[in-house]
Structure formats: C-alpha cells, structure tokens
Amino acid sequence: MKFWKKSLLVQLVGSFLLLSLVIVALVGSVAFYQAKASLKQSVFDRLSSAASLKEQELNRWARDQSLTVLSLAQLPEIRSQAEALLSNSDRESNQSFLQDSLTAFIKHQTGLKEIFILSRSGRVLASNNSTQIGLYKPLVQYSLVTPDSTEGFISNFYRSPETGQPEITFAIPLLNAENKQQGILAAHLNLDRIDQIIRQNTGLGSTGETYLVGNVGSSLSSRYVFLSTQKSNLKEFSEGIESWSIQKAMQGKSGRGFYLNYRGTPVIGVYYALPGQDLALIAEQTQVEAFAPARKLATSILISGLFLSSLMAVGMLILGRQIVKPIKAIAQTARLVSKGDLNQTAPVLSNNEIGVLAGTFNQMIKQLRLSYQQLADYSHTLEENVEQRTQEIRHKNQDLEATLKELKKAQTKLVQQEKMASLGQLVAGIAHEINNPVNFIYGNVEPAYEYAQDLLNLIRLYQQNYPQPSQEIIDEIEEIDLAFIQEDFVQLLNSMKDGSERIKDIVLSLRNFSRLDESEQKQVDIHQGIESTLRILQSRLKSQSEGSEIKVIKQYGKLPLVNCYPGQLNQVYMNLISNAIDALEPDDQVNNPEINICTTVINDHIEIRIADNGSGIKPEILEQIFDPFFTTKPVGKGTGLGLSISYQIIVEKHKGQLLCHSKRGKGTEFRIKLPI
C-alpha cells in the first residue's frame, strides 16, 4: 500500500489494470447470470420429465400388482378353500392346501413378497410363510383394493413391525354367499421393483437423483423416510430425512425451486405430491453441476479478459514511464527543497505542460527563498511574545480560579454569619423585652392569689356573722353573682399562673435557641435544642384553615452530653424541621402529615433522624440539594442556603455527616451523625 501511494507509475498502471479487471468481472458476471437463467429452465424441464416418467411407471406397476392380487382373490379354488378355512371346517386340510397354493402362486409373481389370509380380527390363518401363521397383523395400515380403486397409485406405506423397513400391503375382503365379510386376503408387495424404477438412469449427470419419500410416522408426529432411492442404503438417513421440498410435497403441493436437500447441499429440484397418503416423488440435481456450463463460460471470459488486460498493462507501463520521468525529476527537487535546500532547481526536459510546470516550480523556489528569510526573522520575535503572553495568561487563570473558590466560600460563610447574627439579636431582644413584664406578672401572681384567698375568707365570715344583710347588699350580690366569683376567681388566678409559666418557658427556649452567650464549644443536651426549636415552630405545626395539623412523633434515645456549638446545631434543626413543614403544608395527598424525630447512639457517634411522610424529592434534584443557592421553592420564599449551611455546620464544624434519603411518594429523611 505504501509503494502504491509513493509511485505515480504504479498508480497509473494499477488504476488502468484495476479498471479493466472490474470491466472483465462485470462482463463475466453478466454472462454467468444470463447463462444461468437460460440453463435454469432447461434443468427444470429435464427434472420434470424424469419425475413424470417415473411417476407414470410407478402407477403402472402399482396397478399391475393390485390387479394381480384381485385376480388371485377371484380364483374359485382360493375362494372356496378360504371360505372353508374361515368357517372353521377341516381347518388343517384347508390351511395346508392354501399354503401350497399361495406358495406356488407367488413363485411366478416377482412383485409380491408374501400372501396370507387373515381373520376379521387380524390373525393369520394361512400364508406362504408358515412362520407367520397364528400372528396378528395391523389391519388399519393395509391398503384396501377393490376393482374401482386400481386406477391410481396406492400409497399407504408403513413401517413393518418385523423388519423395521417401509412396507405396503394390499388387502381384499373375502365375502361369503350372503355378501358378508368373513376375512381378508392380503399381500406384501416386493418394493425392489420400486427401487429399480427409481434407479433407472435419469440423464441428469453424476449428481442427479430421484427418490420416493413417504410418511411412516404416527398420527401425532411426522416421520419422512426413503421408500426408494439410488442411495437408499445410507445408514445415516435410516431414521428420517427432512428438506424444504419434502415439506411442500407432504402438504399436497407440487412445484420446483432452489433449496437445500436432505444433506444440506444446494440443489435445483422438482417435487410432486403423489395421489394417496403422504407420498412424494422428488428429482434433484446439485446447483454446482447444473450451472457448470455457465461457470465455464464466465471463466473463459475472465481468463481472456485477464490476458488482454495484461497486454494492455504492459503497453501502459511503457507509456507511463515516458510521462512519469520528468514528474519524478520535479518531485526529487521538491523533496530536496522541503528539507531546506533552497538552491535546487528542477530540470526542464520538454516543452509541454510538464516543462511549463518545471519552470513555474523554479520561480516558486526563488520566491520561497526570499519569503523564508523574512519568515525566520518574524518567527523568532513571535515565539518570544507568544511564550511570554502564555505564561501571563496561565498565571492569571490560576489566580482567578483560586479567587473564585475563595469568593464562593466567603459568600456562603458571610450569609451564614449574618443570618445567625440577625436571628440571634432578634430572638435575644424579643426574649429580653418579654422577660421583664413576664417576671413581674409571674412574681405578683402568688401574692394576688393569697390576697384573693383572704378576701374570700373575709366574705365568708361576714356571711356567717351577718346572715341577714340589707336589701341593697342582697341586690348587689345577685347582680355580681357572688357565688360564681367565689368559685371562678381562684381558677382565674391559677390560669394566669399557668400562662405566665408557659411564657417563661417560651422565653427560655428562645434564649436557648439563640445561644448568643455561647460562642465556644460546650457539652449540651441535644434534646434540649430540638425541643426549643419545636416550641418556636409550634405555630406552624398547628392546624391551619387549609390543612391538617402536623403531628410530631418523638422517639428519643438515651444520649450523652455532646461537645458542640449549640447555636449552630439549633440552626440545623431549624432548617431541617422548617423544610419538612414546607414539604407537608402544600401536599394535599397526605391525609395525616407527620414528622418523626428519632435519636439514638450507634457505636462512637449519635444519630438524629428527622423524617416526613410527604411526596419526597425527585432523584434528579436529590444530588443538588446541598449545593449553595440551589432551591426549588418559589422566588422570595427560599434562598437556597439552608441545607448548604447545615451541611457545612455538620461536616466542617463538627466533623460529622449529613445524609438525605428520599423516595417518591414515601417521604424524605435527613440523618445527622455527630461524633461523641
């Protein structure tokens, strides 16, 4: 292939030779297929003629044998002795006579192999073969012969139970004087004559073959075997054969075509479905032999074409050398110039187009020599400038990538710090403002309770010592419902006390959540931070007009104190529980919204699981939920920093893990793992 690409002479001669070979091959192929088309009909005609002649001869032979058996059955002595034998009168004498008569008759009939008389149950009563007397025969497989059934070839072949070979048996009913069947006269045909008919020279060459195929299988399965063929003694086909033509013929069709025979050899053949039951006559010749004349013609054309192409290639070689010689001189000069020798010139050997090409090439060398000198000067300066600018750009790109990473990291931290600072200040201010009046109320509730008890006791004393008050006092007592006041006033003070205690707990939760006074790590109770977060979010958990109340199920384990940043962990609880509430609030498909909070100790770390029973997170979104500024909430409702900040707090600040598991329609679960 390299030599082909490098040599112009080889390309010219080779291209011409290749083109001529393609033309010769095309002509040879056309001639082959035209000859093949002409031969195809001729071969089909020969095969059809051979098969038709053999079919006619087989029909004549079968008709002759059926007539022979009929004539035997109509002999008076045979009929009388058979009738006596079947009527059980002097059986031994009749049986002996019939055996002698049948033996004498069959000696002169080469088409019959065995003649015997059967009872209606199929038992052999007389036969030229004494070993068969007393045996039972399969009557259902015999071919019934009557004077009206001798026109066609009777084809009820079956497999002999004694020899295992295909067999055909003609059977004629034996009737008494009352025209009732007493028994059967049957004869096994000698199939050697069928084999002789098939073996006759077909005139189809060395590979021509005709054979008779029959179905000797059961009613549940087909089994096609040779009944007669030139090669019927082949043992490898003793158990059955199969081909496309056999299938077609056994379906009752006749035709011709190209196909694979029972040996798997490509053949051209014709097939006939003979009258009767599952019988086919097939004539075939291999395609190789059938189309040998066409191949011989194509081969002759190819050989002649190759010889002529070779002669023309030699002439083209001589002419090509004259054309290629000046071109090679120019090519040699071009190779030297390409290596840097710009002082070379191409020889001008003729005045034709190639000579003009050589002169033009020499002018180009001169111009190239001048341009090369100028280019060398420019190239040196350009290389220095390019290298310098490349180094500068590389350094700037590295600095820009580092700056961008730091900027993203700083932006996230800044948002986190500002959010925590604002939230802490807000919560601390609210807690401080509420704490003072609440302490005042809570501190005065107890004295007020005591004063109320004293006043009520005093009223009871007045009622005991002055049981008959004036009418004005009685009217006032009824007006103010003194009995109700005495009963409800103490309960009112108790409710005020409970309310003030509730407000104190909320204020304490706000202070615990903000943790403004705890900037360092310390050991805290994890459950206390979770409870503080739930108190703050209590209003969102309660039932709203558009939805059901969100139920919080807490399964707290026994946890040790954990060394952590309490304020930052409270922020994580707030983000995760708020997201769970956001997922459950708009979900109309959840009838009983729940948030499950479970804590447990696993080996050397604690695990906090916060799960909801909402609709879950889509798989394509699940991989991005911890990315900064990524959110699926509407504009103005989410910043996309909650889960990103929570991830940094757990992983970077506390060296733990924050994992998310979600399944569509089942809900979402976040797992926090913190080292103890």
Side-chain angles (χ1 to χ4, degrees):
M1 183 59 69
K2 292 182 179 180
F3 184 69
W4 170 273
K5 292 181 179 180
K6 289 183 178 181
S7 176
L8 179 60
L9 180 61
V10 173
Q11 291 180 4
L12 289 173
V13 177
S15 299
F16 174 79
L17 184 60
L18 182 62
L19 180 61
S20 62
L21 291 177
V22 170
I23 294 174
V24 171
L26 182 61
V27 172
S29 299
V30 171
F32 171 74
Y33 285 107
Q34 288 181 346
K36 182 178 179 180
S38 299
L39 288 172
K40 179 174 69 172
Q41 186 60 41
S42 175
V43 174
F44 276 138
D45 292 341
R46 291 202 306 271
L47 292 172
S48 299
S49 177
S52 178
L53 291 175
K54 293 182 184 300
E55 180 186 7
Q56 295 174 9
E57 190 169 354
L58 287 173
N59 284 332
R60 285 196 300 270
W61 176 81
R63 185 167 58 252
D64 292 343
Q65 302 309 312
S66 62
L67 292 174
T68 299
V69 176
L70 278 173
S71 63
L72 174 64
Q74 293 174 357
L75 292 176
E77 62 272 18
I78 297 296
R79 293 181 63 86
S80 60
Q81 293 297 327
E83 183 177 355
L85 177 64
L86 292 171
S87 61
N88 295 322
S89 61
D90 196 8
R91 171 166 293 185
E92 292 183 1
S93 175
N94 293 326
Q95 189 177 61
S96 176
F97 176 82
L98 284 173
Q99 183 174 352
D100 294 339
S101 299
L102 295 177
T103 302
F105 183 83
I106 203 170
K107 287 182 180 180
H108 305 286
Q109 301 295 328
T110 59
L112 302 179
K113 182 172 61 175
E114 181 182 354
I115 305 174
F116 48 94
I117 295 176
L118 304 171
S119 65
R120 285 185 298 176
S121 62
R123 184 168 178 266
V124 179
L125 300 179
S127 173
N128 63 301
N129 185 358
S130 59
T131 59
Q132 299 295 314
I133 296 175
L135 301 180
Y136 285 88
K137 299 293 184 178
L139 300 179
V140 70
Q141 295 177 330
Y142 292 174
S143 300
L144 184 64
V145 177
T146 63
D148 298 330
S149 63
T150 59
E151 294 301 323
F153 184 72
I154 300 175
S155 58
N156 187 18
F157 283 88
Y158 63 95
R159 185 174 291 275
S160 172
E162 290 87 5
T163 63
Q165 298 298 320
E167 194 166 47
I168 182 171
T169 303
F170 287 163
I172 300 173
L174 298 176
L175 308 178
N176 58 13
E178 299 176 355
N179 205 25
K180 292 184 179 180
Q181 181 177 344
Q182 288 183 310
I184 297 172
L185 174 65
H188 293 321
L189 300 190
N190 186 355
L191 300 186
D192 291 341
R193 177 54 185 164
I194 295 180
D195 201 44
Q196 292 174 1
I197 295 173
I198 298 298
R199 286 184 182 182
Q200 291 174 358
N201 185 17
T202 61
L204 298 177
S206 60
T207 62
E209 182 179 10
T210 55
Y211 51 92
L212 191 65
V213 179
N215 181 8
V216 296
S218 65
S219 60
L220 300 178
S221 63
S222 298
R223 188 180 183 189
Y224 308 133
V225 299
F226 285 127
L227 299 179
S228 181
T229 177
Q230 296 96 318
K231 302 176 181 179
S232 59
N233 57 342
L234 295 180
K235 295 182 179 179
E236 63 267 27
F237 303 110
S238 60
E239 296 300 322
I241 57 174
E242 191 73 42
S243 72
W244 176 81
S245 61
I246 294 174
Q247 289 287 349
K248 289 291 185 180
M250 290 304 176
Q251 294 172 4
K253 299 177 182 179
S254 299
R256 60 181 63 181
F258 298 92
Y259 52 88
L260 299 180
N261 66 1
Y262 61 92
R263 294 177 177 273
T265 303
V267 296
I268 176 173
V270 295
Y271 52 91
Y272 288 93
L274 299 183
Q277 301 176 359
D278 295 337
L279 194 63
L281 179 62
I282 298 172
E284 297 170 342
Q285 186 180 21
T286 62
Q287 296 181 22
V288 173
E289 184 180 17
F291 301 123
R295 283 193 300 274
K296 185 176 181 180
L297 176 61
T299 303
S300 300
I301 293 174
L302 289 175
I303 294 175
S304 301
L306 290 176
F307 178 73
L308 294 176
S309 297
S310 300
L311 291 179
M312 296 179 69
V314 172
M316 191 65 187
L317 178 62
I318 297 173
L319 179 61
R321 285 181 177 178
Q322 300 299 322
I323 298 174
V324 171
K325 184 176 180 181
I327 298 176
K328 291 179 66 177
I330 297 174
Q332 179 64 25
T333 303
R335 279 196 295 269
L336 296 174
V337 171
S338 65
K339 293 179 180 179
D341 188 0
L342 299 179
N343 297 319
Q344 294 289 330
T345 56
V348 181
L349 303 178
S350 62
N351 295 325
N352 56 16
E353 289 83 354
I354 298 177
V356 174
L357 175 63
T360 305
F361 185 72
N362 291 333
Q363 292 295 327
M364 291 175 58
I365 293 174
K366 291 180 182 179
Q367 295 178 2
L368 182 61
R369 191 182 302 119
L370 295 175
S371 300
Y372 182 77
Q373 185 62 40
Q374 295 175 357
L375 182 61
D377 297 336
Y378 290 138
S379 177
H380 181 70
T381 305
L382 182 60
E383 288 179 357
E384 293 179 352
N385 293 336
V386 170
E387 181 64 25
Q388 183 178 359
R389 290 294 298 166
T390 302
Q391 292 294 335
E392 292 176 358
I393 293 173
R394 186 180 297 112
H395 290 310
K396 288 182 179 180
N397 286 339
Q398 293 175 353
D399 295 340
L400 183 60
E401 290 177 358
T403 303
L404 183 60
K405 291 181 181 178
E406 292 296 329
L407 180 60
K408 288 184 178 179
K409 193 172 183 180
Q411 185 181 17
T412 304
K413 290 183 178 179
L414 180 61
V415 173
Q416 176 188 357
Q417 292 173 359
E418 289 297 327
K419 184 175 180 180
M420 286 300 296
S422 300
L423 181 62
Q425 291 175 2
L426 177 62
V427 172
I430 293 173
H432 179 72
E433 292 298 329
I434 296 175
N435 191 47
N436 289 334
V438 168
N439 285 338
F440 174 77
I441 295 171
Y442 185 77
N444 289 309
V445 167
E446 191 66 32
Y449 180 79
E450 294 177 357
Y451 296 158
Q453 290 287 354
D454 293 339
L455 291 174
L456 292 175
N457 290 334
L458 179 61
I459 291 172
R460 280 193 291 271
L461 289 175
Y462 268 101
Q463 290 175 338
Q464 293 175 2
N465 293 311
Y466 300 99
Q468 299 297 328
S470 63
Q471 185 61 40
E472 183 179 1
I473 294 175
I474 293 174
D475 294 339
E476 185 65 23
I477 290 173
E478 292 178 355
E479 180 69 25
I480 66 175
D481 196 356
L482 180 61
F484 175 75
I485 292 175
Q486 288 176 334
E487 180 181 354
D488 189 60
F489 190 42
V490 175
Q491 297 178 0
L492 180 64
L493 292 174
N494 288 332
S495 298
M496 293 174 64
K497 183 178 180 182
D498 293 340
S500 60
E501 289 178 350
R502 172 65 178 157
I503 296 174
K504 284 185 66 179
D505 291 340
I506 293 175
V507 171
L508 180 60
S509 298
L510 291 173
R511 293 188 62 189
N512 289 337
F513 180 78
S514 62
R515 298 284 187 177
L516 294 178
D517 54 342
E518 298 174 1
S519 60
E520 300 295 333
Q521 283 189 336
K522 62 179 295 184
Q523 291 188 340
V524 297
D525 184 1
I526 295 296
H527 296 154
Q528 185 179 8
I530 297 175
E531 290 296 329
S532 299
T533 305
L534 291 174
R535 288 193 190 99
I536 295 172
L537 296 173
Q538 187 65 35
S539 61
R540 295 192 62 193
L541 295 170
K542 291 183 178 179
S543 175
Q544 304 295 330
S545 59
E546 65 275 6
S548 303
E549 180 180 357
I550 299 176
K551 184 178 180 181
V552 179
I553 301 174
K554 294 179 283 188
Q555 298 176 347
Y556 291 161
K558 187 175 182 181
L559 303 182
L561 298 179
V562 179
N563 192 34
C564 62
Y565 295 96
Q568 295 182 10
L569 281 185
N570 289 343
Q571 183 183 5
V572 175
Y573 306 149
M574 176 66 74
N575 289 334
L576 298 182
I577 297 175
S578 296
N579 284 345
I581 295 174
D582 291 339
L584 293 172
E585 279 181 344
D587 199 339
D588 298 334
Q589 298 181 355
V590 181
N591 297 326
N592 299 306
E594 294 180 355
I595 297 177
N596 288 271
I597 303 176
C598 179
T599 61
T600 184
V601 178
I602 300 177
N603 297 330
D604 58 347
H605 65 274
I606 66 169
E607 184 176 89
I608 305 168
R609 300 200 301 270
I610 301 175
D612 63 72
N613 61 342
S615 57
I617 303 174
K618 297 179 180 179
E620 59 270 19
I621 297 176
L622 193 60
E623 299 179 356
Q624 309 177 58
I625 59 174
F626 295 120
D627 294 344
F629 306 106
F630 176 79
T631 180
T632 58
K633 297 179 181 178
V635 178
K637 189 172 182 180
T639 62
L641 292 173
L643 291 178
S644 176
I645 292 172
S646 300
Y647 187 83
Q648 292 181 8
I649 292 173
I650 298 299
V651 176
E652 296 181 6
K653 291 288 186 180
H654 293 85
K655 308 302 179 185
Q657 293 180 343
L658 178 58
L659 307 174
C660 178
H661 302 280
S662 181
K663 188 175 182 180
R664 295 293 291 171
K666 300 295 183 181
T668 304
E669 180 184 76
F670 285 90
R671 292 190 179 188
I672 302 172
K673 295 184 179 181
L674 296 173
I676 297 176

Coordinates of all heavy atoms in Angstrom, one line a residue, residues 401-442:
E401 N -9.1 31.3 39.3 CA -9.8 30.1 39.8 C -9.7 30.1 41.3 O -10.7 29.8 42.0 CB -9.2 28.9 39.2 CG -9.5 28.7 37.7 CD -8.8 27.5 37.2 OE1 -8.1 26.8 38.0 OE2 -9.0 27.2 36.0
A402 N -8.5 30.4 41.9 CA -8.4 30.4 43.4 C -9.3 31.5 44.0 O -9.9 31.3 45.0 CB -6.9 30.6 43.7
T403 N -9.3 32.7 43.4 CA -10.1 33.8 43.9 C -11.6 33.4 43.9 O -12.3 33.7 44.8 CB -9.8 35.0 43.1 OG1 -8.4 35.3 43.2 CG2 -10.6 36.2 43.7
L404 N -12.0 32.8 42.8 CA -13.4 32.4 42.6 C -13.9 31.4 43.7 O -14.9 31.5 44.3 CB -13.7 31.9 41.2 CG -15.1 31.5 40.9 CD1 -16.0 32.7 41.0 CD2 -15.2 30.9 39.5
K405 N -13.0 30.4 44.0 CA -13.3 29.5 45.0 C -13.4 30.1 46.4 O -14.3 29.9 47.2 CB -12.3 28.4 45.0 CG -12.3 27.5 43.8 CD -11.2 26.4 43.9 CE -11.2 25.5 42.7 NZ -10.2 24.4 42.8
E406 N -12.5 31.0 46.7 CA -12.5 31.7 48.0 C -13.7 32.6 48.1 O -14.3 32.7 49.2 CB -11.2 32.5 48.1 CG -9.9 31.7 48.3 CD -10.0 30.8 49.6 OE1 -10.6 31.3 50.6 OE2 -9.4 29.7 49.6
L407 N -14.1 33.2 47.0 CA -15.2 34.1 47.0 C -16.5 33.4 47.3 O -17.3 33.8 48.1 CB -15.3 34.8 45.6 CG -16.5 35.8 45.5 CD1 -16.4 36.9 46.5 CD2 -16.5 36.4 44.1
K408 N -16.7 32.2 46.6 CA -17.9 31.4 46.9 C -17.9 31.0 48.4 O -19.0 31.0 49.0 CB -17.9 30.2 46.0 CG -18.2 30.6 44.5 CD -18.4 29.3 43.7 CE -18.7 29.6 42.3 NZ -18.8 28.4 41.4
K409 N -16.8 30.5 48.9 CA -16.7 30.1 50.2 C -17.0 31.2 51.2 O -17.7 31.1 52.2 CB -15.3 29.5 50.5 CG -15.2 28.7 51.8 CD -13.9 27.9 51.8 CE -13.8 27.1 53.1 NZ -12.6 26.4 53.2
A410 N -16.4 32.4 50.9 CA -16.6 33.5 51.8 C -18.0 34.0 51.8 O -18.6 34.4 52.8 CB -15.6 34.7 51.4
Q411 N -18.6 34.0 50.6 CA -20.0 34.4 50.4 C -21.0 33.5 51.2 O -21.8 34.0 51.9 CB -20.4 34.3 48.9 CG -21.8 34.9 48.7 CD -22.2 34.8 47.2 OE1 -21.5 34.0 46.5 NE2 -23.2 35.5 46.8
T412 N -20.7 32.2 51.2 CA -21.6 31.3 52.0 C -21.4 31.6 53.5 O -22.4 31.6 54.2 CB -21.2 29.9 51.6 OG1 -21.4 29.7 50.2 CG2 -22.1 28.9 52.4
K413 N -20.2 31.7 53.9 CA -19.9 32.0 55.3 C -20.5 33.3 55.8 O -21.1 33.4 56.9 CB -18.4 31.9 55.6 CG -17.8 30.6 55.5 CD -16.3 30.6 55.9 CE -15.7 29.2 55.8 NZ -14.3 29.2 56.1
L414 N -20.4 34.3 54.9 CA -20.9 35.6 55.3 C -22.4 35.6 55.4 O -23.0 36.1 56.4 CB -20.5 36.6 54.2 CG -21.0 38.1 54.4 CD1 -20.4 38.6 55.7 CD2 -20.6 39.0 53.2
V415 N -23.1 34.9 54.5 CA -24.5 34.8 54.6 C -24.9 34.1 55.9 O -25.9 34.4 56.6 CB -25.1 34.1 53.4 CG1 -26.6 33.8 53.5 CG2 -24.9 34.9 52.1
Q416 N -24.2 33.0 56.2 CA -24.5 32.2 57.4 C -24.3 33.1 58.6 O -25.1 33.1 59.5 CB -23.5 31.0 57.5 CG -23.7 30.2 58.7 CD -22.6 29.1 58.8 OE1 -21.8 29.0 57.9 NE2 -22.6 28.4 59.9
Q417 N -23.1 33.8 58.7 CA -22.9 34.6 59.9 C -23.9 35.7 60.1 O -24.4 36.0 61.2 CB -21.5 35.2 59.8 CG -20.4 34.2 59.9 CD -19.0 34.7 59.6 OE1 -18.9 35.9 59.3 NE2 -18.0 33.9 59.7
E418 N -24.3 36.4 58.9 CA -25.2 37.5 59.0 C -26.6 36.9 59.4 O -27.3 37.6 60.2 CB -25.3 38.2 57.7 CG -24.1 39.0 57.3 CD -23.9 40.2 58.3 OE1 -24.9 40.7 58.8 OE2 -22.8 40.5 58.5
K419 N -27.0 35.8 58.9 CA -28.3 35.2 59.2 C -28.3 34.8 60.7 O -29.3 35.1 61.4 CB -28.5 34.0 58.3 CG -29.9 33.4 58.6 CD -30.1 32.2 57.6 CE -31.5 31.6 57.8 NZ -31.7 30.5 56.8
M420 N -27.2 34.2 61.2 CA -27.2 33.8 62.6 C -27.2 35.0 63.5 O -27.8 35.1 64.6 CB -26.0 32.9 62.9 CG -26.2 31.5 62.3 SD -27.5 30.6 63.0 CE -27.0 30.5 64.7
A421 N -26.4 36.0 63.1 CA -26.3 37.2 64.0 C -27.6 37.9 64.0 O -28.1 38.3 65.1 CB -25.2 38.2 63.4
S422 N -28.3 38.1 62.9 CA -29.6 38.8 62.9 C -30.6 38.0 63.7 O -31.4 38.6 64.5 CB -30.0 39.0 61.4 OG -29.1 39.8 60.7
L423 N -30.6 36.7 63.4 CA -31.6 35.9 64.1 C -31.3 35.9 65.6 O -32.3 36.0 66.4 CB -31.6 34.4 63.6 CG -32.5 33.4 64.2 CD1 -34.0 33.9 63.9 CD2 -32.3 32.1 63.6
G424 N -30.1 35.8 66.0 CA -29.7 35.8 67.4 C -30.1 37.1 68.1 O -30.7 37.1 69.2
Q425 N -29.8 38.2 67.4 CA -30.2 39.5 68.0 C -31.7 39.7 68.1 O -32.2 40.2 69.1 CB -29.6 40.6 67.2 CG -28.0 40.7 67.2 CD -27.5 41.7 66.3 OE1 -28.2 42.4 65.6 NE2 -26.1 41.8 66.2
L426 N -32.4 39.2 67.1 CA -33.8 39.4 67.1 C -34.4 38.5 68.2 O -35.2 39.0 69.0 CB -34.4 38.9 65.8 CG -35.9 38.9 65.7 CD1 -36.5 40.3 65.9 CD2 -36.4 38.4 64.3
V427 N -34.0 37.3 68.3 CA -34.5 36.4 69.4 C -34.2 36.9 70.7 O -35.0 36.9 71.7 CB -34.0 34.9 69.1 CG1 -34.4 34.0 70.3 CG2 -34.6 34.4 67.8
A428 N -32.9 37.3 70.9 CA -32.5 37.8 72.2 C -33.2 39.0 72.6 O -33.6 39.2 73.8 CB -31.0 38.1 72.2
G429 N -33.4 39.9 71.7 CA -34.2 41.2 72.0 C -35.6 40.9 72.4 O -36.1 41.4 73.4
I430 N -36.3 40.0 71.6 CA -37.6 39.6 72.0 C -37.7 38.9 73.3 O -38.6 39.2 74.2 CB -38.2 38.7 70.9 CG1 -38.4 39.4 69.6 CG2 -39.6 38.1 71.3 CD1 -38.8 38.6 68.4
A431 N -36.7 38.0 73.6 CA -36.7 37.4 74.9 C -36.5 38.3 76.0 O -37.1 38.2 77.1 CB -35.6 36.3 74.9
H432 N -35.6 39.3 75.8 CA -35.4 40.3 76.9 C -36.6 41.2 77.2 O -36.9 41.4 78.3 CB -34.2 41.2 76.5 CG -33.8 42.2 77.5 ND1 -33.3 41.9 78.8 CD2 -34.0 43.5 77.5 CE1 -33.1 43.0 79.5 NE2 -33.5 44.0 78.7
E433 N -37.2 41.6 76.1 CA -38.4 42.5 76.2 C -39.6 41.8 76.9 O -40.3 42.4 77.7 CB -38.8 43.1 74.9 CG -37.8 44.0 74.2 CD -37.6 45.3 75.1 OE1 -38.5 45.7 75.8 OE2 -36.5 45.8 75.1
I434 N -39.7 40.5 76.5 CA -40.8 39.8 77.1 C -40.5 39.3 78.6 O -41.4 39.3 79.4 CB -41.2 38.5 76.2 CG1 -41.6 39.0 74.9 CG2 -42.2 37.6 76.9 CD1 -41.9 37.9 73.9
N435 N -39.3 39.1 78.9 CA -38.9 38.5 80.1 C -39.2 39.4 81.3 O -39.7 39.0 82.3 CB -37.4 38.2 80.1 CG -37.0 37.4 81.3 OD1 -37.6 36.4 81.6 ND2 -35.9 37.8 82.0
N436 N -39.0 40.8 81.2 CA -39.3 41.7 82.3 C -40.8 41.7 82.7 O -41.1 41.5 83.9 CB -38.8 43.1 82.0 CG -37.2 43.1 82.0 OD1 -36.6 42.3 82.6 ND2 -36.7 44.0 81.2
P437 N -41.7 42.0 81.8 CA -43.1 42.0 82.2 C -43.6 40.6 82.6 O -44.4 40.5 83.5 CB -43.8 42.5 81.0 CG -42.9 42.3 79.8 CD -41.6 42.4 80.4
V438 N -43.1 39.6 82.0 CA -43.5 38.3 82.4 C -43.0 38.0 83.8 O -43.8 37.4 84.6 CB -43.0 37.2 81.4 CG1 -43.1 35.8 82.0 CG2 -43.7 37.3 80.1
N439 N -41.8 38.3 84.2 CA -41.3 38.1 85.6 C -42.2 38.9 86.6 O -42.4 38.5 87.7 CB -39.9 38.5 85.7 CG -38.9 37.5 85.0 OD1 -39.3 36.3 84.8 ND2 -37.8 37.9 84.6
F440 N -42.5 40.1 86.2 CA -43.4 41.0 87.0 C -44.7 40.3 87.3 O -45.2 40.2 88.4 CB -43.6 42.3 86.4 CG -44.5 43.2 87.2 CD1 -44.1 43.9 88.4 CD2 -45.8 43.4 86.8 CE1 -45.0 44.6 89.1 CE2 -46.7 44.1 87.5 CZ -46.3 44.8 88.6
I441 N -45.3 39.8 86.2 CA -46.6 39.1 86.3 C -46.5 37.9 87.1 O -47.3 37.6 88.1 CB -47.2 38.9 84.9 CG1 -47.5 40.2 84.2 CG2 -48.5 38.0 85.0 CD1 -47.9 40.0 82.7
Y442 N -45.5 37.1 86.8 CA -45.3 35.8 87.5 C -45.0 36.0 88.9 O -45.5 35.3 89.8 CB -44.2 35.0 86.8 CG -44.0 33.6 87.3 CD1 -44.9 32.6 87.0 CD2 -43.0 33.3 88.2 CE1 -44.8 31.3 87.5 CE2 -42.8 32.0 88.7 CZ -43.7 31.0 88.4 OH -43.6 29.8 88.9

